[in-house]
Amino acid sequence: MIALLHTGAANFPPNLLSRSRQAVSPLFPAGVLEGFRSIVSRKLASHGFGASMAAMSSFPPQRYHYFLVLDFEATCDKPQIHPQEIIEFPILKLNGRTMEIESTFHMYVQPVVHPQLTPFCTELTGIIQGMVDGQPSLQQVLERVDEWMAKEGLLDPSVKSIFVTCGDWDLKVMLPGQCQYLGLPVADYFKQWINLKKAYSFAMGSWPKNGLLDMNKGLNLQHIGRPHSGIDDCKNIANIMKTLAHRGFIFKQTSKPF
């Protein structure tokens, strides 16, 4: 029977695995069953099932199919310049079942009101002038975002997704403010999000005053990359989310309806 199940493991439906274990368990020692489970897990992973059964079972069900982790970098100076303009636009598509990154959108944006980056901005973000010169405008980047969302199946009404940011600034202040200044519409999918700081405070019982640095420290995580790099900040957000989900936290929308 074990040999039969072994040879058919590649086509063995995942939802029947628990039934097979129940049927086999009275007949075979625990060590044999553990070996069988390991074989089936490897077979499933090698035939396109993605994460191993162990990884899938280690996270509680989330309310969303996908989390879209976003972290803008914008023009800045001391004292602050107005209006600020988005210069880095990264998004990570995080699978809500496995909490693994499945796809990345990442573009730099040409500022138009203050096209020359200040030394303060470059020192803070690591973005130099050559990284934004000749890049698409915000309007063009937003069009590319929409194309990427469609390609990734995120515009399908049956697919539940939500943006995740470290704070409310990105989608409550920065994007709508710049779009209003430029006379651009804001897509509905940008109008609801999860503020990771609030989620962390619900899960851990303390407010992360220093943002990602405090959250990484509180969860004993190593900081990834450079602080204030948009794409690196997204990776840290994703890592924090995965850790909280592994501890049983269920993420919920924190923004209020527009």
Side-chain angles (χ1 to χ4, degrees):
M1 184 175 181
I2 286 294
L4 179 63
L5 289 172
H6 182 182
T7 57
N11 298 313
F12 200 73
N15 62 331
L16 295 182
L17 287 172
S18 60
R19 298 181 196 175
S20 70
R21 289 197 295 268
Q22 291 170 4
V24 174
S25 57
L27 305 175
F28 298 97
V32 174
L33 290 177
E34 287 302 320
F36 166 67
R37 279 195 283 266
S38 177
I39 291 169
V40 173
S41 294
R42 290 197 301 272
K43 288 285 187 180
L44 287 171
S46 68
H47 282 78
F49 283 88
S52 69
M53 292 163 55
M56 288 188 284
S57 64
S58 64
F59 298 104
Q62 294 289 335
R63 297 185 171 197
Y64 299 92
H65 298 109
Y66 296 101
F67 297 104
L68 305 176
V69 179
L70 176 150
D71 190 272
F72 296 139
E73 297 305 325
T75 54
C76 54
D77 202 2
K78 283 191 174 183
Q80 189 59 275
I81 57 176
H82 297 284
Q84 286 186 275
E85 299 171 86
I86 295 169
I87 54 175
E88 186 181 6
F89 203 128
I91 307 172
L92 299 180
K93 178 187 176 188
L94 200 64
N95 186 304
R97 180 173 56 89
T98 64
M99 302 305 285
E100 297 291 343
I101 298 167
E102 285 194 353
S103 181
T104 300
F105 177 92
H106 187 211
M107 293 188 72
Y108 291 98
V109 189
Q110 171 76 62
V112 295
V113 181
H114 301 285
Q116 193 70 29
L117 301 183
T118 64
F120 174 83
C121 182
T122 294
E123 182 179 352
L124 180 69
T125 66
I127 299 173
I128 61 174
Q129 192 66 40
M131 295 167 71
V132 297
D133 283 346
Q135 295 300 312
S137 66
L138 180 63
Q139 180 177 0
Q140 293 170 320
V141 171
L142 289 172
E143 291 170 356
R144 305 273 183 89
V145 168
D146 202 66
E147 293 169 0
W148 177 79
M149 296 274 287
K151 179 176 69 73
E152 294 293 329
L154 296 166
L155 302 184
D156 184 334
S158 66
V159 175
K160 293 188 65 178
S161 64
I162 189 168
F163 279 91
V164 183
T165 58
C166 184
D168 292 320
W169 174 84
D170 300 81
L171 294 177
K172 186 176 183 179
V173 177
M174 188 61 239
L175 182 62
Q178 188 175 357
C179 284
Q180 182 179 31
Y181 184 88
L182 297 173
L184 301 174
V186 178
D188 286 342
Y189 46 70
F190 286 125
K191 295 180 180 179
Q192 48 273 322
W193 64 88
I194 295 169
N195 178 344
L196 183 64
K197 292 180 182 179
K198 290 181 180 178
Y200 177 90
S201 69
F202 297 153
M204 303 296 289
S206 62
W207 182 259
K209 184 178 179 182
N210 294 311
L212 294 174
L213 295 176
D214 280 357
M215 288 185 274
N216 277 327
K217 183 178 180 181
L219 294 169
N220 295 315
L221 298 175
Q222 187 72 31
H223 192 88
I224 299 170
R226 173 196 175 107
H228 301 297
S229 158
I231 190 65
D232 287 347
D233 284 352
C234 284
K235 292 174 183 177
N236 281 285
I237 292 171
N239 198 32
I240 290 165
M241 291 185 70
K242 182 177 180 179
T243 303
L244 291 176
H246 187 74
R247 295 185 178 198
F249 185 75
I250 306 297
F251 290 92
K252 304 173 185 177
Q253 177 179 332
T254 62
S255 63
K256 296 180 181 179
F258 273 52

